[in-house]
Amino acid sequence: MTTDARLALEQVTKAFDGRTVLEDISLQLEPGELLTLLGPSGCGKTTALRIIAGFERPDSGRVMLGGREITAVPAHRRSMGVVFQAYSLFPHMTALTNVAYGLKIRRQAKPARLGRAGELLELMGLSEHAHKYPHQLSGGQQQRVALARALAVAPEVLLLDEPLSALDAQVRVQLREEIRRIQRETGTTTIMVTHDQEEALTIADRVAVMRDGLIQQLGAPAELYRQPANAFVSRFLGTVNLVPVTGDGTRIALFGQAVETVGQHDPKVPLRAHIRPEDIELSIDEAGPGMVSTVLLRGATTSIGVIWDDLVTPVRVDLPTREAGGIESGQRVRLGVRVPHVLVEPDPAATGSQKTHA
Amino acid sequence: MKTLRVTVLLLAAVFFAAPLVASAAFGFSLPGQGFTFEPLQRATGNPAFWQQVGRSVLLAVLTAVIGSVLLMGTLLWLHLRARTLLPLAEGLSVLPFVVPPVALVMGVNLVFRAIYPGFLTSLLSLVPFYVVLTMPLVYRALDSGIRAIDLRTLVDAGTSLGAGRLRLFWEILLPNLRPALLAGGLICVAMVLGEFVLASLLLHNTYPVFLAQVGQDNPRAAAALAFLTLAGTWLLLAGFARTLRSERTRS
């Protein structure tokens, strides 16, 4: 069932009432790939999805599918399945007729389309709810029906617009895994929009981080997490300590240790280093310059707050919980850097303060 | 506190029910004879009665259909394409409440008598007036119906599944907006069956005009008919509410 739908946006721009929402967006998806568009609200990710679906027209640029330009093709003639945030099921139809609706439009005979819809509901584990109306289903069940409905027409591209954001945390994780499984089984090229970085990282083959209508970085989840292209990506994905430092152009002094920076920097400008809590080494040392202020057990990891020098905010260090035994607040410690390169950016505050971004 | 509430309820019930009961009692009885249909039969025996009922029903249906089509089209367009204009449209929709019907009909009368007298002699010339008069209420009925569904998402979902505009409207929007359309239609029926001023001023014989005329020489029949009309409208409303309830609880 794998389609050879190679989907691409080429230099797409879009503005609403003079406000630029998308600025020269280009991206390309391989057949069968799952890409997430990740970013804070208002970054343009949903607009990008709506342009691909055909709900909006770009001001300039092209949408390509399988080598064909579809920019001007109206939404109802594109082969795209869309799952929305919530409340998208037709309230006057049962789960079964909802799923079969796209096939009805494609003039499939009633027994055939209801049969196919039944199969899809079974795939979603919803067989016994087939004859219920949307308002009789839970939020998670409704989203499963919506997914089945989108897949029923065997779309070339599946578009998911924050399909999990209205659900409880537990259902969210479960459905996320299910979406991934079914997407792999059907081999449907998929784009999912989300503002949840964990969701984006766990589900995707590749992630595009967006901000203010621009793609900040596009790459595999591990690449984005380990080698963020800029300070925004670094802060947006996971947790990061922002530590004021000074550098000489290629190296900085961090926790009393010389570390190379990613790329070059201006040595005359005050900098702040981005370092993830799990990339910091911690050793107990009576004469160490740091002092443990808090120890927070999170489960598999333990977060340790360390007061270092004259930094205002404690540095967060994450250790596997089994290595964190015996560490208590008040202890003197020494910190080190576990990674060969550290990302730096000009310090916007440049007052010696330091923050932790979650 | 509770006695106060019960008292108020009883007083209100008496206030609203007493005229009804009184008009029924008056309309369905004759001195010395007790309960009787005689005055009513005399009125309905008049061939003008059925003719004028027919006219009013025709007016009600046309008003409901034309008003709903115009307003539904406008509202869907506003909600999907021009949301920023909605407050303005809502403000405009209450204008008929502000302009008295008498002023409206006098103005139109002056203009049309001069340029196209044939228009006002036709019974159907009442329809545009009735559409305007019912607009504030029909607007609200349809608007709340549209707001109750997630219009944008339903339209996008239907479109993504391949539905064109006609299909979207007939198969997805209409079934979900049916309660609102029915409510709007009922409002039209109730209003047209009770509208006297415009019809009388434009010299058209409709059911309410008939009722007023009958009241002059056969007041008991007028009272009986008024009671039956009111009861009929209530039954329609009750039936409508019941249909809605059973639709919501269907499984």
Side-chain angles (χ1 to χ4, degrees), chain A residues 50 76 80 92 101 106 136, chain B residues 156 159-161 171 175-176:
Chain A
R50 293 180 62 83
H76 69 281
M80 313 237 171
H92 61 298
Y101 187 70
R106 282 158 184 76
Q136 296 166 316
Chain B
D156 285 348
T159 308
S160 74
L161 290 170
E171 293 183 358
N176 290 300

Side-chain angles (χ1 to χ4, degrees), chain A residues 50 55 75-76 78 80 82 84 86-93 101-102 104-106 133 135-136 149-150 153, chain B residues 149-150 152-164 167-168 171-173 175-176 247-251:
Chain A
R50 293 180 62 83
F55 302 145
H76 69 281
R78 297 187 184 188
M80 313 237 171
V82 187
F84 300 86
Y87 310 117
S88 74
L89 295 180
F90 307 131
H92 61 298
M93 298 185 193
Y101 187 70
K104 182 182 172 191
I105 292 175
R106 282 158 184 76
Y133 286 90
H135 72 268
Q136 296 166 316
R149 183 178 68 178
V153 297
Chain B
I149 62 173
D150 204 325
R152 173 93 261 167
T153 312
L154 291 186
V155 167
D156 285 348
T159 308
S160 74
L161 290 170
R167 214 181 241 284
L168 268 181
E171 293 183 358
I172 295 171
L173 297 184
N176 290 300
E247 252 177 43
R248 258 186 228 121
T249 53
R250 74 192 158 179
S251 55

Side-chain angles (χ1 to χ4, degrees), chain A residues 239-316:
Chain A
T239 311
V240 69
N241 291 294
L242 304 176
V243 187
V245 289
T246 49
D248 64 3
T250 56
R251 282 182 310 165
I252 51 166
L254 184 56
F255 306 133
Q257 184 183 338
V259 193
E260 283 185 32
T261 58
V262 176
Q264 301 207 341
H265 56 265
D266 183 348
K268 293 189 283 292
V269 173
L271 302 170
R272 59 182 188 188
H274 287 232
I275 184 147
R276 297 208 185 276
E278 69 271 27
D279 291 341
I280 302 175
E281 228 165 29
L282 179 145
S283 48
I284 296 168
D285 183 342
E286 293 283 313
M291 190 183 78
V292 175
S293 62
T294 51
V295 178
L296 264 179
L297 175 67
R298 290 178 189 274
T301 60
T302 297
S303 292
I304 296 147
V306 176
I307 295 169
W308 185 268
D309 271 359
D310 53 352
L311 297 184
V312 176
T313 323
V315 176
R316 177 171 156 183

Side-chain angles (χ1 to χ4, degrees), chain B residues 13-249:
Chain B
V14 168
F15 180 79
F16 286 110
L20 272 177
V21 175
S23 71
F26 178 67
F28 290 103
S29 68
L30 281 174
Q33 251 182 288
F35 181 79
T36 173
F37 285 118
E38 207 250 80
L40 186 66
Q41 273 163 346
R42 203 150 28 102
T44 54
N46 182 345
F49 169 76
W50 292 109
Q51 196 196 6
Q52 301 191 3
V53 167
R55 287 174 167 190
S56 279
V57 169
L58 175 71
L59 285 175
V61 170
L62 284 177
T63 303
V65 170
I66 294 175
S68 302
V69 167
L70 287 178
L71 279 176
M72 182 56 89
T74 310
L75 275 168
L76 286 178
W77 184 82
L78 284 171
H79 274 275
L80 287 171
R81 293 286 165 80
R83 287 199 68 93
T84 48
L85 293 180
L86 271 171
L88 179 69
E90 190 166 349
L92 287 177
S93 78
V94 296
L95 271 185
F97 279 164
V98 184
V99 181
V102 176
L104 179 70
V105 76
M106 280 319 184
V108 174
N109 209 341
L110 270 178
V111 174
F112 275 91
R113 286 259 186 259
I115 60 168
Y116 184 52
F119 169 69
L120 291 171
T121 58
S122 157
L123 172 74
L124 298 183
S125 68
L126 284 174
V127 173
F129 291 107
Y130 288 177
V131 168
V132 169
L133 284 188
T134 51
M135 184 170 76
L137 297 172
V138 176
Y139 180 97
R140 259 147 207 82
L142 297 187
D143 190 48
S144 66
I146 290 176
R147 283 174 201 274
I149 62 173
D150 204 325
L151 181 69
R152 173 93 261 167
T153 312
L154 291 186
V155 167
D156 285 348
T159 308
S160 74
L161 290 170
R165 268 188 210 172
L166 263 184
R167 214 181 241 284
L168 268 181
F169 182 74
W170 284 109
E171 293 183 358
I172 295 171
L173 297 184
L174 204 55
N176 290 300
L177 293 173
R178 217 172 36 146
L181 282 164
L182 273 174
L186 270 181
I187 289 169
C188 290
V189 170
M191 201 241 105
V192 171
L193 287 185
E195 204 292 314
F196 173 76
V197 177
L198 289 183
S200 166
L201 282 175
L202 289 173
L203 308 174
H204 287 298
N205 288 315
T206 59
Y207 175 67
V209 173
F210 176 85
L211 215 57
Q213 282 164 355
V214 165
Q216 287 170 12
D217 56 17
N218 184 358
R220 287 181 192 271
L225 282 173
F227 173 78
L228 286 180
T229 310
L230 209 61
T233 316
W234 276 13
L235 280 179
L236 264 178
L237 277 172
F240 167 66
R242 212 192 152 98
T243 325
L244 276 192
R245 244 201 318 278
S246 65
E247 252 177 43
R248 258 186 228 121
T249 53

